[in-house]
Amino acid sequence: AQKVIEKKDDMDWRRNALFSSFGFAYLGCFQFYLYNTVFARICQPVVAVVGRYGAAPVLTFLDQFIHHPFLYFPAFYLFKGAVEGRPLQSSFNIYKTDLEENCKALWALWVPAQLINFAVVPTHLRIPFVAGISIFWTVIISCMRGSIVQAEEVTVGAPLIPLQAAAPEHIHFPAAPEHGVLDAHGELMHISNAAAGL
């Protein structure tokens, strides 16, 4: 993603570590349990009625329209926010803002892939199949949301230069907070101990 698509000269190793650690913790551990245990239990009564091919759309719906929008993406944004030092509410706000665009990209790749996965692939090979498709998905989500925004703390008494003074009149910037700094998303980053009055 960084070298081939974005053609960056220097590798962002923090970004690399973010996706590697999240992939291990969420995809390698939690999602393994979700697919092979939770989904398998849900699937049994459905398969008994409509068969394996009939159950595939049901499992794909659960995975793509419930699991990913309401578990996977929140977990990703909270994990990324922790790396950035972002407050939980700020991470959640960005998750909500990005959700529609993220889901469109997700469904374009994963809906057909999961239909094949749940209909054809044996249960014990589903995670390896998902891991193979995830190579492409990781490149997509890395290009879309991989940049790590890190703001420096601002102490009380440090002068804040209004951005509006140096910007063209037609560009609107949010007002600078009394203590702290706004990141690229317009979210308030860390407040220093001095600013918090500690």
Side-chain angles (χ1 to χ4, degrees), residues 118-188:
F118 292 126
V120 179
V121 179
T123 302
H124 66 284
L125 293 178
R126 285 178 181 173
I127 291 300
F129 177 85
V130 167
I133 302 297
S134 290
I135 295 173
F136 302 99
W137 170 246
T138 301
V139 171
I140 294 170
I141 196 67
S142 178
C143 291
M144 291 176 63
R145 310 298 179 203
S147 298
I148 294 177
V149 179
Q150 190 74 44
E152 297 292 333
E153 292 188 344
V154 176
T155 58
V156 172
L160 294 176
I161 301 174
L163 295 176
Q164 292 90 338
E169 294 182 358
H170 67 280
I171 298 180
H172 172 71
F173 289 93
E178 181 178 356
H179 304 299
V181 64
L182 294 173
D183 66 11
H185 298 283
E187 297 288 345
L188 182 63

Side-chain angles (χ1 to χ4, degrees), residues 14-74:
R14 292 185 64 204
R15 174 174 166 184
N16 196 333
L18 166 68
F19 281 92
S20 298
S21 54
F22 178 76
F24 172 78
Y26 191 92
L27 305 179
C29 297
F30 173 75
Q31 199 159 287
F32 180 87
Y33 169 78
L34 180 70
Y35 286 164
N36 290 320
T37 303
V38 178
F39 278 12
R41 291 175 182 172
I42 295 173
C43 188
Q44 287 176 356
V46 179
V47 171
V49 176
V50 297
R52 182 172 181 175
Y53 294 111
V58 176
L59 290 174
T60 300
F61 174 82
L62 290 175
D63 182 52
Q64 293 297 301
F65 295 89
I66 296 178
H67 162 226
H68 275 82
F70 303 114
L71 285 178
Y72 169 83
F73 281 126

